[in-house]
Amino acid sequence: MPLILVTNDDGIRSPGLRAAAAALQTLGQVVVVAPVEQWSGAGRCMPATSEGRIYPETLMVNGGILRAYAVEGTPAQVVDHAILEILPRPPDLVVSGINYGENVGSGVTISGTVGAALEAASFGIPALAVSLQTPVEHHLGYSEEIDFRAAAYFTCLFARAVLRQALPFDVDVLKIDIPATATPETPWRWTRQSRQRYFVPVRPMRRRPTDPGPLGYRVEIDFERLEPDSDIHALVVDQVVSVTPLSLDLTSRVSERELRQWWENAR
């Protein structure tokens, strides 16, 4: 039976986490390992201050009790603890999500959801990073108003495919973003990560630099320059499910000839 690790960046109490676990129980043995606290925006960070305590938990999923663990650490650190200490063997698949809030555009490296999936991929384990489009005011909470049923359907759909056949070379993570209006009948398509920023930081309003001033953010899209094959276009304009293959290899696709030409011109 396939072993599936389910994690997230919203924390062990997230309804999106439970929705993913419930959907994936039809495919294999599910073990949930998630952060104790909210870690949205953590990317793949590994702060040395994390103490890594592990707390056994139980989650009610599909009318039964599911084994789970809460870890003091970032999403990426949680994946490490799960693989190195908790699971009996390396998992066949890691699913990160379902996240409150979409993860599209050039800010995907900020996402703790994507960060956890990339950390799993660094062990050679295929991973999904699944996010549901939600209003900004719900990103850091556990609102029961959010309907995860369509997102759970697509989580299961792509998890089944990955378990049946290995991902192609240079595809380490499938980043899946589901529109808020999606149903299981909503079309999906392959996309590329937009080079545009999607969540734009907002300047803090404070009187003195020493006053508390956390950065806010808002959605901002340049529709005139938006790439038609991008994740943002699919999610926002066409309102279809965006499936973006991600690679651990961040090397630019520029040719050596172009680099040589650049160097000669810069001398």
Side-chain angles (χ1 to χ4, degrees):
M1 179 177 288
L3 179 60
I4 304 171
L5 169 63
V6 178
T7 190
N8 70 354
D9 70 352
D10 289 323
I12 192 71
R13 299 299 170 199
S14 170
L17 183 77
R18 293 199 306 271
L24 294 166
Q25 277 191 319
T26 61
L27 302 181
Q29 179 187 356
V30 172
V31 180
V32 173
V33 187
V36 170
E37 299 175 334
Q38 170 66 250
W39 272 101
S40 289
R44 197 181 163 194
C45 71
M46 296 273 183
T49 53
S50 297
E51 298 192 352
R53 295 184 183 89
I54 299 173
Y55 303 97
E57 297 272 352
T58 55
L59 300 179
M60 291 299 298
V61 175
N62 290 332
I65 294 176
L66 181 65
R67 179 176 58 175
Y69 301 87
V71 179
E72 289 183 346
T74 68
Q77 289 174 322
V78 166
V79 169
D80 285 1
H81 286 290
I83 293 172
L84 299 174
E85 296 187 89
I86 297 172
L87 298 178
R89 60 180 175 84
D92 299 287
L93 174 67
V94 173
V95 175
S96 181
I98 302 165
N99 188 62
Y100 278 82
E102 57 272 40
N103 283 300
V104 291
S106 64
V108 295
T109 53
I110 298 170
S111 164
T113 303
V114 175
L118 289 172
E119 184 64 18
S122 73
F123 285 88
I125 300 166
L128 308 181
V130 187
S131 303
L132 176 64
Q133 183 185 34
T134 58
V136 170
E137 59 266 27
H138 291 312
H139 286 185
L140 300 181
Y142 295 153
S143 172
E144 297 290 349
E145 300 175 13
I146 306 301
D147 186 350
F148 288 99
R149 285 177 293 181
Y153 169 81
F154 286 102
T155 300
C156 193
L157 179 71
F158 284 94
R160 181 182 293 111
V162 173
L163 290 171
R164 286 178 175 171
Q165 181 171 245
L167 290 169
F169 173 73
D170 201 41
V171 178
D172 300 302
V173 171
L174 291 182
K175 182 180 72 70
I176 305 169
D177 293 277
I178 298 98
T181 57
T183 70
E185 289 72 41
T186 297
W188 67 269
R189 74 164 177 248
W190 298 111
T191 58
R192 59 179 293 268
Q193 175 201 308
S194 174
R195 296 184 68 90
Q196 278 197 32
R197 190 151 193 170
Y198 180 79
F199 292 117
V200 177
V202 176
R203 180 177 178 173
M205 299 297 292
R206 53 184 168 188
R207 295 175 58 191
R208 296 180 299 269
T210 53
D211 291 341
L215 289 167
Y217 58 91
R218 66 174 182 268
V219 174
E220 190 173 293
I221 305 170
D222 182 351
F223 288 100
E224 290 187 0
R225 300 172 61 185
L226 184 61
E227 312 94 329
D229 59 346
S230 68
D231 50 4
I232 297 177
H233 197 287
L235 186 78
V236 177
V237 179
D238 297 330
Q239 296 185 9
V240 299
V241 176
S242 166
V243 183
T244 311
L246 300 181
S247 172
L248 285 168
D249 184 355
L250 298 181
T251 309
S252 170
R253 292 175 293 276
V254 65
S255 69
E256 186 177 347
R257 180 186 61 79
E258 291 175 287
L259 286 173
R260 286 198 304 266
Q261 185 64 54
W262 174 85
W263 179 248
E264 290 300 322
N265 292 339
R267 294 176 64 180

